[in-house]
Amino acid sequence: MPGDELLPAAPLVSTRAVTVDAPPAAVWPWLVELGPGHGGAYTYDWVATVFGLERRTPGGGAAARPELKPGDLLPLSRRGPVLEVVEVDVDRGLVLRSQDGQWVWSFGLRPRGRSTRLVSRNRIEQAGDTPLSRLVSRYVLEPAGLVMERKMLLAIRTRAEAAT
């Protein structure tokens, strides 16, 4: 996927996807709405509370964010990581990287007939990686990330399908 080259040897890699019954052009506006002041995190309220994410439920209309461009900054929360837009390929893909360079989050929109496969990939490299931190990542952070990210992907799917 685009962005894989930014952290090619990342020890933590997760790829998740959902099929959206809508074309990529209907999915894209909801994908770029992620973040505070826009669509929020599209996740469970309890996750938003724990991680300090904005709890905002976007409306049913088209996304309001102006088109993203490389160099734009997207804070995930008021006190959380800030992601920099690295690559924008409208209706095809989006690559974000944390300012510390240890996390790359890529999205791909793959047309499948009349639907779209929305793919999300995380590549993470932790400074000071130890056997204990690897265990915590694998058995605590990874399952929590799965729950949170799955909800986000399903929420984007629901909004894109409702808009078509």
Side-chain angles (χ1 to χ4, degrees):
M1 279 189 62
D4 284 355
E5 72 284 356
L6 298 173
L7 277 177
L12 297 172
V13 178
S14 66
T15 304
R16 300 177 177 110
V18 295
T19 299
V20 182
D21 189 22
V27 178
W28 180 257
W30 299 106
L31 177 61
V32 298
E33 270 291 283
L34 283 171
H38 296 280
Y42 296 124
T43 193
Y44 299 102
D45 284 347
W46 67 267
V47 172
T49 300
V50 168
F51 291 101
L53 304 173
E54 181 176 340
R55 285 190 233 168
R56 179 173 171 190
T57 303
R65 182 193 296 270
E67 283 301 319
L68 295 174
K69 61 188 178 315
D72 285 351
L73 298 178
L74 303 175
L76 290 186
S77 68
R78 288 179 181 82
R79 61 179 190 250
V82 176
L83 300 176
E84 179 180 348
V85 176
V86 175
E87 184 178 327
V88 177
D89 189 358
V90 176
D91 295 343
R92 297 188 60 185
L94 176 66
V95 178
L96 310 169
R97 177 176 44 200
S98 63
Q99 287 185 311
D100 65 9
Q102 295 180 348
W103 175 26
V104 175
W105 196 6
S106 303
F107 296 91
L109 283 76
R110 310 263 164 68
R112 299 273 169 104
R114 295 181 184 157
S115 63
T116 301
R117 192 75 174 151
L118 171 58
V119 182
S120 171
R121 174 167 296 154
N122 287 279
R123 301 181 74 81
I124 301 169
E125 184 174 80
Q126 297 170 310
D129 194 26
T130 67
L132 178 59
S133 69
R134 284 192 294 275
L135 284 173
V136 169
S137 292
R138 179 172 302 276
Y139 296 109
V140 177
L141 299 179
E142 180 64 21
L146 171 63
V147 169
M148 187 170 120
E149 196 166 0
R150 175 119 176 102
K151 171 67 169 152
M152 179 199 72
L153 293 172
L154 293 174
I156 291 171
R157 178 177 75 185
T158 298
R159 286 163 175 81
E161 289 177 352
T164 57

